[in-house]
Protein backbone atom coordinates (compact mmCIF):
# COMPACT_ATOMS: atom_id res chain seq x y z
CA UNK A 1 0.00 0.00 0.00
CA UNK A 2 1.22 3.44 -0.83
CA UNK A 3 0.25 6.56 1.04
CA UNK A 4 0.33 10.19 0.06
CA UNK A 5 0.46 12.53 2.99
CA UNK A 6 -0.67 16.15 2.61
CA UNK A 7 -2.59 17.14 -0.50
CA UNK A 8 -1.10 20.62 -0.36
CA UNK A 9 2.48 19.36 -0.37
CA UNK A 10 3.09 17.80 -3.78
CA UNK A 11 6.78 17.13 -3.16
CA UNK A 12 6.08 15.12 -0.03
CA UNK A 13 3.25 13.24 -1.70
CA UNK A 14 5.53 12.26 -4.57
CA UNK A 15 8.04 10.66 -2.19
CA UNK A 16 5.42 8.26 -0.81
CA UNK A 17 3.77 7.35 -4.09
CA UNK A 18 6.79 7.07 -6.34
CA UNK A 19 8.77 5.21 -3.71
CA UNK A 20 6.09 2.55 -3.36
CA UNK A 21 5.58 2.20 -7.12
CA UNK A 22 9.32 1.81 -7.67
CA UNK A 23 9.42 -1.11 -5.23
CA UNK A 24 6.39 -2.84 -6.75
CA UNK A 25 7.68 -2.35 -10.30
CA UNK A 26 11.13 -3.66 -9.42
CA UNK A 27 9.57 -6.81 -7.98
CA UNK A 28 7.36 -7.32 -11.03
CA UNK A 29 10.13 -6.86 -13.60
CA UNK A 30 12.64 -8.72 -11.46
CA UNK A 31 10.32 -11.70 -11.24
CA UNK A 32 9.90 -11.68 -14.99
CA UNK A 33 13.64 -11.54 -15.64
CA UNK A 34 14.36 -14.32 -13.15
CA UNK A 35 11.64 -16.54 -14.59
CA UNK A 36 12.94 -15.90 -18.11
CA UNK A 37 16.49 -16.88 -17.12
CA UNK A 38 15.22 -20.10 -15.54
CA UNK A 39 13.29 -20.96 -18.66
CA UNK A 40 16.38 -20.34 -20.81
CA UNK A 41 18.21 -23.08 -18.86
CA UNK A 42 15.27 -25.46 -19.03
CA UNK A 43 13.71 -27.69 -21.67
CA UNK A 44 10.49 -25.72 -21.03
CA UNK A 45 11.79 -22.66 -22.81
CA UNK A 46 8.93 -22.31 -25.30
CA UNK A 47 7.10 -19.32 -26.70
CA UNK A 48 3.94 -20.48 -24.91
CA UNK A 49 5.65 -20.36 -21.52
CA UNK A 50 7.13 -16.96 -22.28
CA UNK A 51 3.72 -15.64 -23.31
CA UNK A 52 2.20 -17.04 -20.12
CA UNK A 53 4.94 -15.43 -18.03
CA UNK A 54 4.36 -12.09 -19.74
CA UNK A 55 0.62 -12.33 -19.02
CA UNK A 56 1.05 -13.17 -15.32
CA UNK A 57 3.72 -10.49 -14.86
CA UNK A 58 1.46 -7.95 -16.51
CA UNK A 59 -1.38 -8.97 -14.20
CA UNK A 60 0.75 -8.34 -11.09
CA UNK A 61 1.98 -5.05 -12.48
CA UNK A 62 -1.46 -3.74 -13.41
CA UNK A 63 -2.89 -4.65 -10.01
CA UNK A 64 -0.14 -2.66 -8.30
CA UNK A 65 -0.98 0.42 -10.36
CA UNK A 66 -4.76 0.16 -10.53
CA UNK A 67 -7.04 3.07 -9.59
CA UNK A 68 -10.75 3.31 -10.54
CA UNK A 69 -10.27 6.82 -11.88
CA UNK A 70 -7.83 5.43 -14.48
CA UNK A 71 -10.29 3.03 -16.12
CA UNK A 72 -10.09 5.04 -19.35
CA UNK A 73 -6.54 3.77 -19.95
CA UNK A 74 -7.89 0.27 -20.63
CA UNK A 75 -7.42 -1.61 -22.83
CA UNK A 76 -3.77 -0.72 -22.76
CA UNK A 77 -1.44 -0.56 -25.71
CA UNK A 78 1.03 -3.48 -25.81
CA UNK A 79 3.36 -3.10 -22.82
CA UNK A 80 6.99 -4.17 -23.32
CA UNK A 81 8.59 -6.59 -20.85
CA UNK A 82 12.31 -7.28 -20.81
CA UNK A 83 14.52 -6.89 -23.87
CA UNK A 84 13.31 -9.76 -26.07
CA UNK A 85 10.10 -8.23 -27.38
CA UNK A 86 7.58 -9.97 -25.10
CA UNK A 87 4.48 -7.86 -24.38
CA UNK A 88 1.12 -7.89 -22.64
CA UNK A 89 -2.20 -6.08 -23.12
CA UNK A 90 -4.48 -5.47 -20.11
CA UNK A 91 -8.27 -5.04 -20.05
CA UNK A 92 -10.43 -4.19 -17.03
CA UNK A 93 -14.18 -4.66 -16.64
CA UNK A 94 -16.12 -3.15 -13.72
CA UNK A 95 -18.52 -5.63 -12.12
CA UNK A 96 -20.06 -3.33 -9.49
CA UNK A 97 -19.63 -3.01 -5.74
CA UNK A 98 -15.93 -2.26 -6.06
CA UNK A 99 -15.33 -5.56 -7.88
CA UNK A 100 -13.30 -5.56 -11.10
CA UNK A 101 -12.11 -8.22 -13.54
CA UNK A 102 -8.61 -7.84 -14.97
CA UNK A 103 -7.57 -9.75 -18.07
CA UNK A 104 -3.95 -9.77 -19.23
CA UNK A 105 -2.95 -11.30 -22.56
CA UNK A 106 0.75 -11.99 -22.97
CA UNK A 107 2.51 -12.45 -26.31
CA UNK A 108 5.92 -13.91 -27.21
CA UNK A 109 6.58 -14.22 -30.92
CA UNK A 110 3.44 -15.76 -32.42
CA UNK A 111 2.29 -17.38 -29.15
CA UNK A 112 -0.23 -15.81 -26.77
CA UNK A 113 -1.59 -16.69 -23.31
CA UNK A 114 -4.25 -15.01 -21.14
CA UNK A 115 -4.75 -14.88 -17.37
CA UNK A 116 -7.83 -13.42 -15.63
CA UNK A 117 -8.47 -12.38 -12.02
CA UNK A 118 -11.31 -10.74 -10.13
CA UNK A 119 -10.34 -8.34 -7.37
CA UNK A 120 -11.80 -5.91 -4.85
CA UNK A 121 -10.47 -2.35 -4.86
CA UNK A 122 -10.58 -0.46 -1.56
CA UNK A 123 -9.77 3.13 -0.67
CA UNK A 124 -8.37 3.16 2.85
CA UNK A 125 -10.57 6.09 3.84
CA UNK A 126 -13.56 3.80 3.24
CA UNK A 127 -12.30 1.39 5.90
CA UNK A 128 -11.54 0.89 9.55
CA UNK A 129 -8.01 -0.42 9.88
CA UNK A 130 -6.26 -2.02 12.85
CA UNK A 131 -2.98 -2.47 11.05
CA UNK A 132 -0.26 -2.89 13.66
CA UNK A 133 1.56 -6.19 13.98
CA UNK A 134 -0.31 -8.44 16.37
CA UNK A 135 -3.23 -6.04 16.78
CA UNK A 136 -6.73 -7.40 17.16
CA UNK A 137 -10.42 -6.71 17.62
CA UNK A 138 -12.73 -7.98 20.32
CA UNK A 139 -10.09 -8.61 22.97
CA UNK A 140 -10.42 -8.18 26.71
CA UNK A 141 -14.09 -9.30 26.73
CA UNK A 142 -15.10 -6.07 25.05
CA UNK A 143 -16.54 -4.86 21.77
CA UNK A 144 -18.16 -8.18 20.88
CA UNK A 145 -20.93 -7.90 23.47
CA UNK A 146 -23.88 -6.76 21.33
CA UNK A 147 -21.55 -4.58 19.23
CA UNK A 148 -22.63 -3.54 15.75
CA UNK A 149 -20.14 -3.16 12.90
CA UNK A 150 -20.92 -1.98 9.36
CA UNK A 151 -18.56 -1.67 6.43
CA UNK A 152 -15.01 -2.66 5.60
CA UNK A 153 -12.71 -3.88 8.35
CA UNK A 154 -9.01 -4.80 8.11
CA UNK A 155 -7.40 -6.51 11.09
CA UNK A 156 -3.76 -7.57 11.37
CA UNK A 157 -4.22 -10.06 14.20
CA UNK A 158 -6.98 -12.03 15.90
CA UNK A 159 -10.71 -11.33 16.05
CA UNK A 160 -12.71 -12.63 19.02
CA UNK A 161 -16.34 -12.61 17.88
CA UNK A 162 -18.65 -13.83 20.59
CA UNK A 163 -21.86 -12.95 22.42
CA UNK A 164 -24.31 -11.03 20.18
CA UNK A 165 -21.92 -9.05 17.98
CA UNK A 166 -23.19 -8.20 14.48
CA UNK A 167 -21.09 -7.36 11.42
CA UNK A 168 -22.72 -6.35 8.12
CA UNK A 169 -21.73 -5.28 4.61
CA UNK A 170 -17.96 -5.88 4.84
CA UNK A 171 -15.69 -6.87 3.29
CA UNK A 172 -13.55 -8.32 6.07
CA UNK A 173 -9.78 -8.60 5.75
CA UNK A 174 -8.02 -10.77 8.32
CA UNK A 175 -4.22 -11.05 8.17
CA UNK A 176 -1.80 -12.91 10.45
CA UNK A 177 -4.54 -14.03 12.82
CA UNK A 178 -7.56 -16.22 13.42
CA UNK A 179 -11.27 -15.53 13.76
CA UNK A 180 -12.44 -16.99 17.06
CA UNK A 181 -16.19 -17.58 16.77
CA UNK A 182 -18.47 -18.48 19.67
CA UNK A 183 -21.79 -17.52 21.19
CA UNK A 184 -24.41 -15.90 18.97
CA UNK A 185 -22.08 -13.63 17.02
CA UNK A 186 -23.23 -13.06 13.44
CA UNK A 187 -21.60 -11.88 10.21
CA UNK A 188 -23.77 -10.94 7.22
CA UNK A 189 -27.23 -12.25 6.44
CA UNK A 190 -28.60 -15.00 4.24
CA UNK A 191 -29.70 -12.37 1.72
CA UNK A 192 -26.53 -10.26 1.90
CA UNK A 193 -23.40 -12.27 2.46
CA UNK A 194 -20.11 -10.65 3.47
CA UNK A 195 -16.99 -11.09 1.34
CA UNK A 196 -14.07 -12.37 3.38
CA UNK A 197 -10.36 -12.24 2.67
CA UNK A 198 -8.69 -14.48 5.19
CA UNK A 199 -9.76 -17.22 7.62
CA UNK A 200 -13.30 -16.06 8.45
CA UNK A 201 -15.65 -18.95 9.24
CA UNK A 202 -18.79 -19.91 7.32
CA UNK A 203 -21.93 -21.73 8.40
CA UNK A 204 -24.28 -21.09 11.30
CA UNK A 205 -24.52 -17.34 11.82
CA UNK A 206 -21.57 -16.65 9.48
CA UNK A 207 -22.89 -15.74 6.06
CA UNK A 208 -19.51 -15.17 4.45
CA UNK A 209 -17.98 -15.88 1.06
CA UNK A 210 -14.24 -16.49 0.91
CA UNK A 211 -12.77 -14.39 -1.90
CA UNK A 212 -9.07 -14.93 -1.28
CA UNK A 213 -6.34 -14.04 1.18
CA UNK A 214 -5.93 -10.62 2.78
CA UNK A 215 -3.12 -8.47 1.38
CA UNK A 216 -0.23 -7.23 3.49
CA UNK A 217 -1.03 -3.67 4.49
CA UNK A 218 1.77 -1.49 5.81
CA UNK A 219 0.34 1.78 7.08
CA UNK A 220 2.71 4.75 6.67
CA UNK A 221 3.52 6.55 9.91
CA UNK A 222 3.08 10.24 10.56
CA UNK A 223 6.63 11.54 10.79
CA UNK A 224 8.20 14.65 12.30
CA UNK A 225 8.52 15.92 8.73
CA UNK A 226 4.76 15.55 8.30
CA UNK A 227 4.20 17.45 11.53
CA UNK A 228 6.44 20.25 10.27
CA UNK A 229 4.47 20.39 7.01
CA UNK A 230 1.17 20.68 8.85
CA UNK A 231 2.69 23.42 11.03
CA UNK A 232 3.42 25.40 7.87
CA UNK A 233 -0.19 24.91 6.73
CA UNK A 234 -1.48 26.00 10.15
CA UNK A 235 0.49 29.25 9.93
CA UNK A 236 -0.87 29.84 6.43
CA UNK A 237 -4.47 29.52 7.63
CA UNK A 238 -3.82 32.24 10.24
CA UNK A 239 -2.65 34.91 7.77
CA UNK A 240 -5.46 37.39 8.21
CA UNK A 241 -6.69 39.60 11.10
CA UNK A 242 -8.26 37.62 13.91
CA UNK A 243 -11.76 38.70 14.91
CA UNK A 244 -12.46 36.79 18.10
CA UNK A 245 -10.34 35.96 21.12
CA UNK A 246 -7.69 33.30 20.70
CA UNK A 247 -7.50 29.99 22.54
CA UNK A 248 -5.49 30.28 25.76
CA UNK A 249 -2.72 28.07 24.32
CA UNK A 250 -2.63 29.72 20.91
CA UNK A 251 0.37 31.61 19.56
CA UNK A 252 -0.11 35.39 19.76
CA UNK A 253 0.00 35.73 15.96
CA UNK A 254 -0.40 32.22 14.51
CA UNK A 255 -3.47 31.37 16.55
CA UNK A 256 -3.98 28.05 14.79
CA UNK A 257 -0.69 26.97 16.41
CA UNK A 258 -1.12 25.81 20.01
CA UNK A 259 1.55 25.06 22.62
CA UNK A 260 1.18 22.66 25.53
CA UNK A 261 -1.63 20.36 26.63
CA UNK A 262 -4.82 22.08 25.41
CA UNK A 263 -8.50 21.70 26.23
CA UNK A 264 -11.58 22.58 24.19
CA UNK A 265 -14.89 22.81 26.01
CA UNK A 266 -14.55 25.01 29.09
CA UNK A 267 -13.96 28.47 27.59
CA UNK A 268 -15.45 30.05 24.47
CA UNK A 269 -12.97 31.50 21.95
CA UNK A 270 -12.82 32.84 18.40
CA UNK A 271 -15.46 34.23 16.06
CA UNK A 272 -17.72 31.37 14.92
CA UNK A 273 -18.24 32.81 11.43
CA UNK A 274 -14.78 34.12 10.58
CA UNK A 275 -11.89 32.59 12.51
CA UNK A 276 -10.35 29.28 11.36
CA UNK A 277 -11.33 27.68 14.67
CA UNK A 278 -13.75 28.84 17.34
CA UNK A 279 -15.86 27.31 20.11
CA UNK A 280 -19.22 28.10 21.71
CA UNK A 281 -21.06 26.39 24.52
CA UNK A 282 -24.84 26.80 24.83
CA UNK A 283 -25.76 26.01 28.44
CA UNK A 284 -29.48 25.92 27.66
CA UNK A 285 -29.04 23.27 24.98
CA UNK A 286 -26.09 21.69 26.78
CA UNK A 287 -24.37 21.82 23.42
CA UNK A 288 -20.75 22.72 22.73
CA UNK A 289 -19.76 23.31 19.10
CA UNK A 290 -16.33 23.53 17.48
CA UNK A 291 -16.48 25.81 14.42
CA UNK A 292 -14.07 25.34 11.50
CA UNK A 293 -14.13 28.09 8.86
CA UNK A 294 -12.41 28.19 5.48
CA UNK A 295 -9.97 31.05 4.95
CA UNK A 296 -8.42 33.02 2.09
CA UNK A 297 -4.66 32.38 2.01
CA UNK A 298 -3.82 33.67 -1.48
CA UNK A 299 -5.51 37.04 -1.26
CA UNK A 300 -8.03 36.55 -4.08
CA UNK A 301 -11.01 37.17 -1.83
CA UNK A 302 -12.28 33.60 -1.87
CA UNK A 303 -12.32 31.51 1.29
CA UNK A 304 -11.09 28.30 -0.25
CA UNK A 305 -8.52 26.85 2.17
CA UNK A 306 -9.54 24.49 4.95
CA UNK A 307 -8.13 25.38 8.38
CA UNK A 308 -5.32 23.35 9.92
CA UNK A 309 -4.79 23.53 13.70
CA UNK A 310 -1.58 22.09 15.14
CA UNK A 311 -0.79 21.43 18.81
CA UNK A 312 2.64 20.27 19.98
CA UNK A 313 1.13 18.25 22.83
CA UNK A 314 -2.25 16.64 23.56
CA UNK A 315 -5.74 18.04 22.87
CA UNK A 316 -8.72 17.18 25.08
CA UNK A 317 -12.33 17.63 23.96
CA UNK A 318 -14.07 17.66 27.32
CA UNK A 319 -17.61 16.51 28.11
CA UNK A 320 -19.11 19.87 27.08
CA UNK A 321 -18.16 19.34 23.43
CA UNK A 322 -20.90 17.66 21.40
CA UNK A 323 -20.68 18.88 17.76
CA UNK A 324 -18.62 20.58 15.09
CA UNK A 325 -19.50 22.72 12.09
CA UNK A 326 -17.35 23.10 8.97
CA UNK A 327 -14.42 21.26 7.48
CA UNK A 328 -10.85 21.20 8.75
CA UNK A 329 -7.96 19.32 10.35
CA UNK A 330 -6.84 19.21 13.97
CA UNK A 331 -3.34 17.80 14.53
CA UNK A 332 -2.12 16.92 18.04
CA UNK A 333 1.39 15.52 18.29
CA UNK A 334 0.84 13.50 21.47
CA UNK A 335 -2.74 12.39 20.91
CA UNK A 336 -6.34 13.22 21.79
CA UNK A 337 -8.69 12.64 24.69
CA UNK A 338 -12.37 12.76 23.69
CA UNK A 339 -14.67 12.96 26.71
CA UNK A 340 -17.62 14.42 24.80
CA UNK A 341 -18.88 13.99 21.25
CA UNK A 342 -17.88 15.17 17.78
CA UNK A 343 -20.95 15.06 15.51
CA UNK A 344 -21.62 17.32 12.48
CA UNK A 345 -23.94 20.16 13.52
CA UNK A 346 -25.85 19.77 10.24
CA UNK A 347 -27.74 16.87 11.79
CA UNK A 348 -27.70 14.88 8.55
CA UNK A 349 -28.29 11.18 9.14
CA UNK A 350 -28.93 7.99 7.23
CA UNK A 351 -29.98 4.46 8.05
CA UNK A 352 -27.59 1.61 7.38
CA UNK A 353 -27.74 -2.11 7.95
CA UNK A 354 -30.22 -4.84 6.95
CA UNK A 355 -33.93 -4.13 7.19
CA UNK A 356 -34.21 -6.25 10.34
CA UNK A 357 -31.37 -4.51 12.17
CA UNK A 358 -30.84 -0.90 11.09
CA UNK A 359 -29.03 1.95 12.82
CA UNK A 360 -29.32 5.70 12.37
CA UNK A 361 -25.88 7.26 11.91
CA UNK A 362 -24.58 10.78 11.16
CA UNK A 363 -23.20 11.77 7.76
CA UNK A 364 -20.13 13.86 6.89
CA UNK A 365 -20.26 16.00 3.76
CA UNK A 366 -17.98 18.30 1.77
CA UNK A 367 -19.15 21.09 4.10
CA UNK A 368 -18.86 19.27 7.43
CA UNK A 369 -15.92 16.91 7.83
CA UNK A 370 -13.37 16.72 10.65
CA UNK A 371 -9.91 15.17 10.39
CA UNK A 372 -8.00 14.11 13.51
CA UNK A 373 -4.28 13.35 13.08
CA UNK A 374 -1.64 12.37 15.63
CA UNK A 375 1.59 10.54 16.26
CA UNK A 376 0.05 9.32 19.52
CA UNK A 377 -3.13 7.61 20.76
CA UNK A 378 -6.79 8.58 20.90
CA UNK A 379 -8.56 7.86 24.16
CA UNK A 380 -12.33 8.06 23.70
CA UNK A 381 -13.53 8.04 27.30
CA UNK A 382 -17.02 9.47 26.70
CA UNK A 383 -19.83 8.06 28.83
CA UNK A 384 -22.70 9.35 26.69
CA UNK A 385 -21.38 9.09 23.14
CA UNK A 386 -24.32 7.39 21.41
CA UNK A 387 -25.85 8.07 17.99
CA UNK A 388 -27.59 10.11 16.79
CA UNK A 389 -27.29 12.67 19.61
CA UNK A 390 -23.60 12.14 20.32
CA UNK A 391 -20.63 9.94 19.44
CA UNK A 392 -17.71 10.56 17.09
CA UNK A 393 -18.01 11.18 13.34
CA UNK A 394 -14.58 11.90 11.86
CA UNK A 395 -11.70 10.78 9.68
CA UNK A 396 -8.94 9.55 12.01
CA UNK A 397 -5.33 8.70 11.18
CA UNK A 398 -2.98 8.08 14.12
CA UNK A 399 0.28 6.22 14.64
CA UNK A 400 -0.91 4.75 17.91
CA UNK A 401 -4.04 3.17 19.33
CA UNK A 402 -7.71 4.08 19.32
CA UNK A 403 -8.80 3.18 22.83
CA UNK A 404 -12.28 3.01 24.31
CA UNK A 405 -12.11 1.86 27.97
CA UNK A 406 -14.54 -0.55 29.57
CA UNK A 407 -16.30 2.43 31.17
CA UNK A 408 -16.75 4.17 27.81
CA UNK A 409 -19.91 4.18 25.73
CA UNK A 410 -19.02 4.98 22.15
CA UNK A 411 -20.50 5.06 18.67
CA UNK A 412 -18.14 5.89 15.78
CA UNK A 413 -18.81 6.76 12.13
CA UNK A 414 -16.09 7.48 9.58
CA UNK A 415 -12.67 5.92 9.20
CA UNK A 416 -10.19 4.79 11.85
CA UNK A 417 -6.69 4.13 10.54
CA UNK A 418 -4.53 3.20 13.48
CA UNK A 419 -1.98 0.74 14.82
CA UNK A 420 -4.44 -0.94 17.14
CA UNK A 421 -8.22 -0.74 17.57
CA UNK A 422 -8.89 -1.35 21.27
CA UNK A 423 -12.63 -0.97 21.82
CA UNK A 424 -12.92 -2.54 25.26
CA UNK A 425 -16.52 -1.56 25.88
CA UNK A 426 -19.65 -3.38 24.73
CA UNK A 427 -22.67 -2.19 22.74
CA UNK A 428 -20.51 -0.07 20.45
CA UNK A 429 -21.27 0.99 16.89
CA UNK A 430 -18.40 1.08 14.42
CA UNK A 431 -19.47 2.15 10.93
CA UNK A 432 -17.62 3.34 7.85
CA UNK A 433 -18.84 6.01 5.42
CA UNK A 434 -18.15 4.81 1.84
CA UNK A 435 -16.86 7.60 -0.38
CA UNK A 436 -15.53 9.58 2.59
CA UNK A 437 -12.27 10.32 0.73
CA UNK A 438 -14.24 12.65 -1.57
CA UNK A 439 -15.17 14.94 1.36
CA UNK A 440 -11.87 15.10 3.25
CA UNK A 441 -10.43 18.50 4.18
CA UNK A 442 -7.47 19.75 2.16
CA UNK A 443 -4.21 18.68 3.75
CA UNK A 444 -5.48 15.32 5.00
CA UNK A 445 -3.32 12.27 4.28
CA UNK A 446 -4.27 11.13 0.80
CA UNK A 447 -4.01 7.36 1.01
CA UNK A 448 -3.82 5.19 -2.07
CA UNK A 449 -6.13 2.21 -2.31
CA UNK A 450 -5.21 -1.46 -2.39
CA UNK A 451 -6.50 -4.54 -4.13
CA UNK A 452 -7.55 -7.84 -2.61
CA UNK A 453 -7.69 -10.48 -5.31
CA UNK A 454 -9.12 -13.94 -5.60
CA UNK A 455 -7.47 -16.83 -7.43
CA UNK A 456 -6.56 -16.09 -11.01
CA UNK A 457 -7.29 -18.45 -13.88
CA UNK A 458 -5.40 -19.22 -17.07
CA UNK A 459 -7.30 -19.16 -20.32
Amino acid sequence: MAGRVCRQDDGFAMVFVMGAIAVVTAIAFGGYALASQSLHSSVRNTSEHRAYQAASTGLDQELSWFRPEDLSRYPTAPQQLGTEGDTYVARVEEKGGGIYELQCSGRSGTASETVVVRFKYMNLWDMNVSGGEGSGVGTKSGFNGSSWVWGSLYVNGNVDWTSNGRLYEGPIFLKNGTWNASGNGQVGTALRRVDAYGPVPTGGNYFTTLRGSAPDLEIPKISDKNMADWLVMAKQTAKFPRVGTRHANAHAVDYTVWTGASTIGNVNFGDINVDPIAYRYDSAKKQGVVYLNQVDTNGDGDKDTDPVIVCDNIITFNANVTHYRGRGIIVAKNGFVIDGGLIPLSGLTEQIGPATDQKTVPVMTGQDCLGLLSQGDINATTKTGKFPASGICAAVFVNGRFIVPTSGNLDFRGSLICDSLEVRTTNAILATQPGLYKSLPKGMPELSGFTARGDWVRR
Side-chain angles (χ1 to χ4, degrees), residues 188-271:
T189 68
L191 297 178
R192 195 169 183 89
R193 302 179 70 86
V194 169
D195 288 342
Y197 297 83
V200 180
T202 60
N205 292 331
Y206 285 80
F207 302 95
T208 61
T209 301
L210 183 63
R211 297 296 187 186
S213 58
D216 287 311
L217 189 59
E218 184 176 350
I219 305 298
K221 296 293 187 180
I222 294 175
S223 67
D224 290 341
K225 172 62 167 58
N226 303 147
M227 296 296 296
D229 291 338
W230 281 312
L231 180 60
V232 171
M233 294 181 195
K235 291 181 177 180
Q236 289 175 342
T237 57
K239 286 184 179 178
F240 67 100
R242 183 176 66 251
V243 176
T245 58
R246 64 185 178 91
H247 185 278
N249 290 54
H251 188 273
V253 176
D254 300 319
Y255 52 92
T256 50
V257 179
W258 297 1
T259 301
S262 305
T263 298
I264 299 176
N266 288 330
V267 180
N268 294 338
F269 64 89
D271 186 289

Side-chain angles (χ1 to χ4, degrees), residues 93-428:
E93 182 180 350
E94 186 173 5
K95 298 295 185 180
I99 301 293
Y100 299 85
E101 184 174 275
L102 170 62
Q103 174 182 298
C104 278
S105 299
R107 178 168 291 275
S108 180
T110 60
S112 64
E113 290 282 349
T114 297
V115 291
V116 180
V117 67
R118 284 201 177 188
F119 64 93
K120 175 84 172 182
Y121 178 86
M122 298 296 303
N123 186 292
L124 291 184
W125 284 119
D126 289 344
M127 304 181 65
N128 289 316
V129 177
S130 179
E133 183 176 354
S135 64
V137 169
T139 56
K140 300 188 172 100
S141 299
F143 189 61
N144 46 35
S146 299
S147 62
W148 196 94
V149 180
W150 188 87
S152 305
L153 179 67
Y154 182 102
V155 180
N156 187 13
N158 295 327
V159 173
D160 296 325
W161 202 248
T162 62
S163 189
N164 294 308
R166 299 289 184 267
L167 190 153
Y168 303 112
E169 197 65 18
I172 308 166
F173 301 87
L174 182 59
K175 189 72 175 179
N176 299 321
T178 59
W179 188 288
N180 303 312
S182 61
N184 294 316
Q186 180 174 332
V187 175
T189 68
L191 297 178
R192 195 169 183 89
R193 302 179 70 86
V194 169
D195 288 342
Y197 297 83
V200 180
T202 60
N205 292 331
Y206 285 80
F207 302 95
T208 61
T209 301
L210 183 63
R211 297 296 187 186
S213 58
D216 287 311
L217 189 59
E218 184 176 350
I219 305 298
K221 296 293 187 180
I222 294 175
S223 67
D224 290 341
K225 172 62 167 58
N226 303 147
M227 296 296 296
D229 291 338
W230 281 312
L231 180 60
V232 171
M233 294 181 195
K235 291 181 177 180
Q236 289 175 342
T237 57
K239 286 184 179 178
F240 67 100
R242 183 176 66 251
V243 176
T245 58
R246 64 185 178 91
H247 185 278
N249 290 54
H251 188 273
V253 176
D254 300 319
Y255 52 92
T256 50
V257 179
W258 297 1
T259 301
S262 305
T263 298
I264 299 176
N266 288 330
V267 180
N268 294 338
F269 64 89
D271 186 289
I272 65 173
N273 296 309
V274 177
D275 291 339
I277 183 168
Y279 174 76
R280 287 292 183 277
Y281 179 70
D282 187 326
S283 58
K285 296 181 180 179
K286 294 185 178 180
Q287 177 176 283
V289 183
V290 178
Y291 294 86
L292 301 163
N293 295 301
Q294 286 190 318
V295 298
D296 174 18
T297 59
N298 58 14
D300 64 0
D302 294 329
K303 293 184 178 182
D304 53 9
T305 300
D306 297 326
V308 177
I309 295 87
V310 173
C311 176
D312 65 4
N313 204 297
I314 191 169
I315 292 180
T316 297
F317 298 92
N318 73 16
N320 289 332
V321 181
T322 57
H323 295 79
Y324 64 87
R325 187 194 74 182
R327 192 174 78 162
I329 300 170
I330 301 179
V331 184
K333 179 177 178 62
N334 295 339
F336 295 91
V337 174
I338 304 175
D339 289 332
L342 289 169
I343 299 293
L345 188 61
S346 65
L348 294 177
T349 61
E350 64 179 344
Q351 286 191 315
I352 58 176
T356 56
D357 188 15
Q358 291 192 328
K359 302 292 184 183
T360 300
V361 297
V363 176
M364 285 178 280
T365 67
Q367 288 71 48
D368 295 284
C369 186
L370 174 64
L372 299 177
L373 307 170
S374 179
Q375 291 180 308
D377 299 333
I378 290 186
N379 285 272
T381 60
T382 176
K383 304 295 192 299
T384 58
K386 303 299 290 181
F387 290 158
S390 190
I392 298 175
C393 187
V396 175
F397 181 16
V398 297
N399 288 357
R401 302 167 295 170
F402 184 88
I403 305 168
V404 182
T406 54
S407 59
N409 192 4
L410 178 74
D411 288 348
F412 180 90
R413 192 4 160 32
S415 182
L416 283 171
I417 300 177
C418 57
D419 182 77
S420 179
L421 182 58
E422 299 182 13
V423 182
R424 301 168 185 168
T425 187
T426 58
N427 298 296

